[in-house]
Amino acid sequence: MSKISLNLATTRAQWGFAEAVEGCLRAGITAISPWRDQIAAIGLEEAARIVRDNGLQVTGVCRGGMFPAETAQGRQAGIDDNLRAIDEAAALNADCLVLVVGGLPGASKDLPGARAQVAEGIAAMLPHARASGVRIAIEPLHPMYAADRACVNTIDQALDICETLGETVGVAIDVYHVWWDPYLARAIARAGRMKRIFAHHICDWLVPTRDMLNDRGMMGDGVIDLKSIRAMIEEAGYHGPQEVEIFSTENWWKRPGDEVLSVIKERVASVC
Amino acid sequence: MSKISLNLATTRAQWGFAEAVEGCLRAGITAISPWRDQIAAIGLEEAARIVRDNGLQVTGVCRGGMFPAETAQGRQAGIDDNLRAIDEAAALNADCLVLVVGGLPGASKDLPGARAQVAEGIAAMLPHARASGVRIAIEPLHPMYAADRACVNTIDQALDICETLGETVGVAIDVYHVWWDPYLARAIARAGRMKRIFAHHICDWLVPTRDMLNDRGMMGDGVIDLKSIRAMIEEAGYHGPQEVEIFSTENWWKRPGDEVLSVIKERVASVC
């Protein structure tokens, strides 16, 4: 079975950082990906101590990004926040800092302009990231989030940015966001040739999807051909953990955390 | 001002075929795009008579498609239905028959397989379409519909299919479905070089979008840079009407049809 990482958003409603780690250890899961608010709630030093003392792999810190803003001041505030996120990722010895890059600033309709601001923002944070030994993973988000969350919407588009910025900038491939892409196999192969696959997130796409943000499915409950995508990713040279990231207001966030982890283990073994 | 076509889904809740045409004529709009259920409700002959007597341009008939099915029998039934749709488009002298190609058949997770069934389905209907003088417009749908409505999700993907099938197969470019595409300008230019832009649909993407199907916005109420996309499409050689297609359970479907058309005219003049 492929190694599992728990993205702590998956048990956000049930567990804080420390409880989630305890739950993971009970389930034999030794990799996590925490969110910055979860790190802040326990404190960075304590989070780092827990990671270190338990020998955990941190497959990513979620999240930096959100670069576009209406003013230069707003954009600088975004960059400053990303510099702090780099410090947190470094303190946790994370495999990467994941970026949700942001959408259209304010009332703007200038999508190419927003995309340029994203590339500029990443470029501005890169010196500190490199000095800190932190890799940056751009996460292309599903096109339905282009306006309000992330204007980087395909792996190819992310790789175009990576090419301009150099080799410590790569992609986090989340099946939820990219499964529909008609050029997915080609894009993953390209990411592999560039050695830029830094993370692999899994969940499932439900039919119907009742909420555009928080109705992600457990692997196997939806339509994504997870095994095929995993095969593409391994063929492309990435063999790290599959990171389970499920936002689910009406289902998985309502269940006991231990039950959620038990189902995750079963599904990764059977359908991923 | 660019010529307007009214996609009759926009006033589906208010008007049947004949009433919509009367409303259009009152508003000085002389192009329409009806749906097959609206044609069936009034009868094809009567619909054709109304079109002819009023000298209307029919910018498209909505819709053929829905090719993927779990069984050969199911796929044949789909093709048979598309042959009837061709007859209807021919009777109305429509510029094209618009295809919403269909998603994953049954419980399948085989997206490449579904896409192959789409190409096979279009190939099977083409001889009759060509004999009838009906052009086929593949409408790439937004990736959020990949599972359940259309597994053709970008202009480039549609053009790949067009290339294999020949020159009476093109694309209907609906801004709602393609506005997010990072390669949009390149794809529209490619469609222009291939002379395959058969229709241009407009509406807007609302933030937030409260329903994945029926919460489309009036032009100007959302984030799509309609003028820029129209410029790309005209640059690519398409100068036909802008066809207004708005599905809006909670807003535009609740207003009087004449009011909707009045706002459409104002918005096309100001923001499209």
Side-chain angles (χ1 to χ4, degrees):
Chain A
M1 184 169 84
S2 166
K3 188 172 178 182
I4 295 170
S5 171
L6 182 70
N7 184 297
L8 301 194
T10 306
T11 51
R12 158 179 297 291
Q14 299 93 333
W15 287 335
F17 189 104
E19 294 165 303
V21 168
E22 288 162 20
C24 283
L25 294 174
R26 280 195 299 277
I29 294 172
T30 57
I32 62 168
S33 180
W35 284 61
R36 291 181 68 201
D37 65 305
Q38 296 172 317
I39 296 167
I42 191 172
L44 181 58
E45 279 188 35
E46 176 65 3
R49 186 196 64 74
I50 290 171
V51 165
R52 207 167 44 238
D53 287 358
N54 293 289
L56 298 175
Q57 178 178 1
V58 176
T59 51
V61 165
C62 297
R63 55 181 167 60
M66 298 294 168
F67 298 103
E70 288 179 287
T71 64
Q73 188 178 17
R75 290 190 287 280
Q76 187 58 51
I79 290 164
D80 292 343
D81 189 55
N82 276 282
L83 299 180
R84 291 189 290 274
I86 289 167
D87 294 336
E88 296 167 25
L92 298 182
N93 194 28
D95 295 343
C96 60
L97 172 64
V98 175
L99 301 187
V100 171
V101 299
L104 292 164
S108 168
K109 303 185 183 195
D110 180 7
L111 199 51
R115 287 163 170 167
Q117 290 187 15
V118 167
E120 288 161 15
I122 301 174
M125 70 189 286
L126 258 188
H128 185 54
R130 285 181 174 144
S132 308
V134 172
R135 299 193 303 176
I136 303 299
I138 302 171
E139 183 169 359
L141 253 56
H142 194 284
M144 68 185 175
Y145 304 121
D148 49 357
R149 293 188 178 269
C151 59
V152 173
N153 305 104
T154 68
I155 294 172
D156 273 314
Q157 184 193 3
L159 292 176
D160 290 348
I161 297 171
C162 293
E163 279 181 344
T164 68
L165 294 178
E167 61 184 24
T168 64
V169 184
V171 293
I173 299 177
D174 186 320
V175 296
Y176 193 77
H177 298 303
V178 304
W179 73 277
W180 59 271
D181 188 340
Y183 305 108
L184 183 62
R186 184 183 78 186
I188 290 174
R190 177 185 171 202
R193 286 194 305 276
M194 292 171 64
K195 302 192 191 311
R196 304 296 176 93
I197 303 175
F198 292 174
H200 177 201
H201 299 181
I202 56 174
C203 64
D204 214 333
W205 180 277
L206 299 177
V207 178
T209 292
R210 298 180 192 283
D211 181 276
M212 285 171 68
L213 186 60
N214 293 321
D215 191 26
R216 299 191 187 187
M218 177 64 66
M219 297 77 71
D221 289 345
V223 299
I224 301 178
D225 185 349
L226 292 155
K227 280 183 192 286
S228 289
I229 298 178
R230 181 63 181 180
M232 293 175 199
I233 288 175
E234 292 192 337
E235 179 71 21
Y238 181 81
H239 298 277
Q242 297 192 71
E243 180 179 323
V244 179
E245 183 179 39
I246 304 172
F247 306 163
S248 173
T249 311
E250 296 301 324
N251 189 353
W252 300 102
W253 282 347
K254 288 186 170 172
R255 304 198 192 196
D258 289 318
E259 178 191 335
V260 175
L261 293 199
S262 169
V263 176
I264 284 172
K265 288 168 61 181
E266 176 204 319
R267 297 296 177 84
V268 169
S270 59
V271 302
C272 295
Chain B
M1 185 169 86
S2 167
K3 187 172 178 183
I4 295 170
S5 171
L6 181 71
N7 183 298
L8 299 194
T10 305
T11 51
R12 155 177 301 288
Q14 298 93 331
W15 286 335
F17 188 103
E19 293 165 302
V21 167
E22 288 162 20
C24 283
L25 294 174
R26 279 195 300 277
I29 294 173
T30 57
I32 62 167
S33 180
W35 283 62
R36 292 182 68 202
D37 64 305
Q38 296 172 316
I39 297 167
I42 191 172
L44 180 59
E45 280 188 34
E46 176 64 3
R49 187 196 63 75
I50 290 172
V51 165
R52 207 168 43 237
D53 287 358
N54 292 288
L56 300 175
Q57 178 178 1
V58 176
T59 51
V61 164
C62 296
R63 54 180 168 62
M66 298 293 168
F67 298 102
E70 287 180 287
T71 64
Q73 190 179 16
R75 290 190 287 280
Q76 187 58 50
I79 290 163
D80 292 344
D81 188 56
N82 277 282
L83 299 181
R84 289 189 290 274
I86 289 166
D87 294 338
E88 296 166 25
L92 299 183
N93 195 29
D95 295 344
C96 61
L97 172 64
V98 174
L99 301 186
V100 171
V101 299
L104 291 165
S108 168
K109 303 184 182 195
D110 180 10
L111 198 52
R115 287 163 169 167
Q117 289 186 16
V118 167
E120 288 161 15
I122 300 173
M125 70 189 287
L126 259 188
H128 184 55
R130 286 181 176 145
S132 309
V134 172
R135 299 193 304 175
I136 303 298
I138 302 171
E139 183 170 358
L141 253 56
H142 194 284
M144 68 185 175
Y145 304 121
D148 49 358
R149 293 187 179 270
C151 58
V152 173
N153 304 104
T154 67
I155 294 172
D156 274 313
Q157 183 192 4
L159 292 175
D160 290 348
I161 298 171
C162 294
E163 279 182 344
T164 68
L165 293 179
E167 59 185 29
T168 64
V169 184
V171 293
I173 298 177
D174 185 321
V175 297
Y176 192 76
H177 298 303
V178 305
W179 73 278
W180 59 271
D181 188 340
Y183 305 109
L184 183 63
R186 187 182 76 187
I188 290 174
R190 178 184 171 202
R193 286 194 305 276
M194 292 172 65
K195 303 193 191 310
R196 305 298 176 90
I197 304 176
F198 291 173
H200 176 201
H201 299 181
I202 57 174
C203 64
D204 214 334
W205 179 277
L206 299 177
V207 177
T209 293
R210 298 180 191 284
D211 181 274
M212 285 171 69
L213 187 59
N214 293 320
D215 191 26
R216 298 192 188 187
M218 177 63 68
M219 297 78 70
D221 289 346
V223 298
I224 302 178
D225 185 348
L226 292 154
K227 280 182 191 286
S228 288
I229 298 178
R230 181 62 182 180
M232 294 174 199
I233 288 174
E234 293 191 337
E235 179 72 22
Y238 181 82
H239 298 276
Q242 298 193 69
E243 179 180 322
V244 179
E245 183 180 38
I246 303 172
F247 306 162
S248 173
T249 311
E250 296 300 323
N251 188 352
W252 300 101
W253 282 347
K254 287 185 171 172
R255 303 197 192 196
D258 288 319
E259 177 191 335
V260 175
L261 294 199
S262 169
V263 176
I264 285 172
K265 287 167 63 181
E266 175 204 320
R267 298 296 178 85
V268 169
S270 58
V271 302
C272 295

